[in-house]
Amino acid sequence: MFTNVVVRVPGKSLADGLSGADLGKPNYTNAIVQHEYYINALTKTGVNITVLPPMEEFPDSCFIEDNALCTPKCAIISRPGAPTRRKEVQSPDLRATLEQHYDHIEEIKAPGTIEPGDIMMVGDHFYIGLSARTNKEGAEQMIGYLEKYGMSGETVTMKEMLHLKTGVNYLEHNNLLISGEFKSDPRFDKFNKIEIPEDEGYAANCIWINDYVIVPKGYPKTKKAIEDLGQYKVLECDTSEYKKVDGGLSCLSLRF
Ligand code: CIR
């Protein structure tokens, strides 16, 4: 059960966000409309939403998921691996917002790097992808903090995807959306795996919030597969402007 969500409105600089996609630059006006729609969808799930203002100096700062891991027991401020994103986490409004909700706030320190897009929560266990953004030192520090508060973590080797949750996302009830390189990883065999077809790979990044699942708009096979599980209320959200800078539904919020 999540009670809180934090989002950050994109700035006009979103057009300069990091991107490995070949889809052109995001349109700011459309991005704002899609962001408002995202907030509306979140509102339907019954959570309290904190909306933080844009930070023009950081083009990728609307992808606030990468700024902190918010667990039921503590928050851990990250240290992004992308140099242009490293100082996002120093914004006073991020810390102030976390302090409103948490007695315990920890921080990842150099030389560790970690972006929580690489972290998937399954109960009190956390899978941490070792990606181009998250290094072993960052993952080890994170696991140390998780263990300090009675939780656990393990690392997942990755080769292709930007973040772990680019390709694998837990929808509670033992259901796991899984795509690409993770399909053959035996560590995920214990889950009810919903394999995302290659042509809908982007839709592996859906979010579960209180038995709602938000699915990116335009991926009918994935939407149907989730609806067919019969366990969720499914909402669609258009994130096409964010896709242009490698962002998806989970990246756009902290949920706790
Ligand atoms: C980046 O490359 O950092 C951003 N353009 C996209 C971040 C996506 N975040 C996420 O998957 N958690």
Side-chain angles (χ1 to χ4, degrees):
M1 171 94 185
F2 293 135
T3 44
N4 296 292
V5 170
V6 181
V7 299
R8 185 180 295 284
V9 177
K12 293 194 172 73
S13 60
L14 178 67
D16 302 320
L18 297 171
S19 179
D22 194 14
L23 299 169
K25 285 192 181 288
N27 173 288
Y28 172 68
T29 309
N30 293 345
I32 290 289
V33 171
Q34 290 182 0
H35 203 261
E36 283 168 1
Y37 200 95
Y38 181 69
I39 292 172
N40 280 339
L42 292 167
T43 306
K44 290 186 186 147
T45 71
V47 291
N48 304 314
I49 305 179
T50 302
V51 182
L52 299 179
M55 294 199 297
E56 288 295 349
E57 64 276 39
F58 297 112
D60 288 300
S61 54
C62 62
F63 301 118
I64 195 166
E65 169 174 69
D66 295 319
N67 290 177
L69 180 69
C70 293
T71 80
K73 294 171 186 159
C74 62
I76 299 134
I77 295 180
S78 70
R79 185 167 181 272
T84 57
R85 301 199 60 188
R86 187 138 314 147
K87 290 191 177 156
E88 283 175 17
V89 300
Q90 293 171 6
S91 71
D93 62 359
L94 174 72
R95 182 171 274 277
T97 302
L98 294 176
E99 279 172 355
Q100 283 169 16
H101 298 283
Y102 284 102
D103 292 333
H104 304 288
I105 300 179
E106 308 282 359
E107 280 175 29
I108 301 295
K109 299 182 181 72
T113 65
I114 196 158
E115 295 187 2
D118 278 321
I119 309 180
M120 180 174 73
M121 178 174 80
V122 178
D124 56 10
H125 187 71
F126 294 73
Y127 294 89
I128 305 178
L130 294 175
S131 67
R133 304 285 181 88
T134 294
N135 65 18
K136 202 162 166 289
E137 172 65 27
E140 279 168 5
Q141 284 183 38
M142 184 59 80
I143 291 171
Y145 287 133
L146 292 170
E147 289 176 350
K148 177 176 168 186
Y149 294 96
M151 300 171 282
S152 58
E154 71 180 275
T155 55
V156 179
T157 306
M158 337 177 7
K159 294 191 191 77
E160 289 156 23
M161 301 215 185
L162 173 62
H163 286 127
L164 180 74
K165 283 186 295 194
T166 308
V168 64
N169 284 272
Y170 188 55
L171 303 183
E172 305 295 322
H173 308 291
N174 204 43
N175 293 323
L176 189 74
L177 298 181
I178 192 159
S179 72
E181 63 182 293
F182 302 116
K183 285 184 184 173
S184 56
D185 187 331
R187 86 180 71 225
F188 298 123
D189 286 351
K190 64 181 177 205
F191 296 102
N192 175 35
K193 294 196 277 187
I194 297 106
E195 299 207 355
I196 306 297
E198 214 169 300
D199 60 337
E200 293 201 1
Y202 177 75
N205 187 256
C206 293
I207 48 176
W208 175 95
I209 305 184
N210 306 342
D211 282 353
Y212 282 83
V213 174
I214 308 182
V215 180
K217 190 162 190 262
Y219 301 88
K221 291 181 242 179
T222 304
K223 180 168 179 262
K224 183 170 185 313
I226 296 170
E227 283 170 345
D228 286 351
L229 292 168
Q231 290 163 295
Y232 308 106
K233 287 167 264 193
V234 177
L235 301 173
E236 265 188 320
C237 241
D238 188 356
T239 51
S240 54
E241 297 302 329
Y242 298 93
K243 184 180 178 186
K244 294 174 183 173
V245 278
D246 299 336
L249 286 161
S250 77
C251 328
L252 288 167
S253 57
L254 295 169
R255 304 162 296 281
F256 52 95

